[in-house]
Amino acid sequence: MKSVSVKQFLQDTRDGNIDLGDFFSKVIEKNEVIQEKYGAFITFLQKLEAPRKKGVLYGLPLSVKDNICTRNIQTTAGSRILEGYMPPFDATAVDWTKNEGAVVIGKTVMDEFGFGTFSVNSAYGIPKNPLDADRTCGGSSGGASCLTLAADFPHVALAESTGGSISCPAAFTGTVGLTPTYGLVSRWGLIDYANSLDKIGCIGKAVYDVALLLSAIAGSDAQDSTSLT
């Protein structure tokens, strides 16, 4: 599978130049290798849903930090306490990306309940930095930054920050992290660390990637009274 940018991939999917069934089979195979080599996931999926709609993220692989709820996909916030928890709903940010055609490929490693700056406090292993496997990916969104750097396929990551948990791992891995202004993105469906500080944001390989993802998740949500109009 030839590596292309997110922008080019989305153009190709809109033009019908990509067989998404074949593409996602290869993504699953690549995720297995990434998991074995770097440990980026808590849960990665062996079967992927078809894109819900042909929106601005049509067919784009999306990973989700494991404190953001995903319907019928284990969500643990990095803790054994929540092992096996299958939310019956998607967080608003996840739902809105699906409405734009993104496809969830798995849940990424994080410090337990977000408590940490290096992703070494997870109950599900420590993600290795693809730049140097003896070094940390930063935290607490370490799995998101690890996967973003390691993936040689188009991909964006939903991450979350309370006090540096997006910018820190992005800096450690040389990826692009965007921590939005509080209230810009709905936190409905987020397992909180500190309710008045938490922000759901983005990690990607390029500024274009995170800007596009932000455009899909930003906006007022009736289920989160702190979200901005």
Side-chain angles (χ1 to χ4, degrees):
M1 180 169 58
K2 183 180 178 182
S3 179
V4 298
S5 68
V6 165
K7 188 174 186 178
Q8 183 62 55
F9 171 80
L10 292 172
Q11 183 63 55
D12 287 343
T13 58
R14 285 192 291 269
D15 293 343
N17 296 330
I18 292 179
D19 181 332
L20 286 178
D22 179 63
F23 170 75
F24 283 120
S25 293
K26 291 176 179 176
V27 167
I28 292 169
E29 291 174 3
K30 287 174 179 289
N31 283 341
E32 291 176 346
V33 174
I34 290 170
Q35 180 64 7
E36 182 176 353
K37 191 171 183 179
Y38 300 115
F41 293 97
I42 291 177
T43 302
F44 71 93
L45 304 181
Q46 295 285 354
K47 185 176 181 181
L48 304 179
E49 295 181 357
R52 183 184 293 175
K53 294 181 180 178
K54 289 189 175 182
V56 298
L57 303 176
Y58 178 56
L60 184 63
L62 174 81
S63 65
V64 182
K65 186 175 178 178
D66 208 37
N67 59 347
I68 302 171
C69 287
T70 42
R71 184 175 62 86
N72 296 332
I73 302 173
Q74 177 177 256
T75 301
T76 71
S79 176
R80 293 291 181 192
I81 294 172
L82 292 177
E83 187 172 14
Y85 171 54
M86 301 285 193
F89 59 90
D90 282 322
T92 295
V94 174
D95 186 51
W96 287 7
T97 56
K98 285 184 175 181
N99 281 339
E100 293 294 344
V103 176
V104 174
I105 60 172
K107 307 299 292 291
T108 50
V109 174
M110 58 177 289
D111 286 302
E112 189 166 3
F113 292 108
F115 284 80
T117 310
F118 303 102
S119 291
V120 296
N121 297 324
S122 174
Y124 300 89
I126 300 171
K128 298 176 182 178
N129 194 322
L131 294 173
D132 181 345
D134 291 327
R135 298 184 185 274
T136 174
C137 290
S140 63
S141 303
S145 67
C146 174
L147 178 61
T148 299
L149 181 59
D152 64 352
F153 53 84
H155 158 265
V156 287
L158 276 180
E160 177 273 337
S161 176
T162 305
S165 292
I166 292 174
S167 56
C168 175
F172 276 45
T173 56
T175 54
V176 179
L178 191 153
T179 305
T181 303
Y182 182 84
L184 185 62
V185 177
S186 171
R187 291 172 299 108
W188 192 82
L190 172 69
I191 299 172
D192 289 332
Y193 174 173
N195 185 276
S196 61
L197 297 171
D198 296 335
K199 291 84 61 181
I200 292 176
C202 322
I203 296 179
K205 277 189 168 69
V207 171
Y208 175 89
D209 305 353
V210 297
L212 185 66
L213 180 57
L214 182 67
S215 75
I217 62 176
S220 179
D221 177 17
Q223 297 181 103
D224 179 359
S225 62
T226 66
S227 63
L228 304 176
T229 58

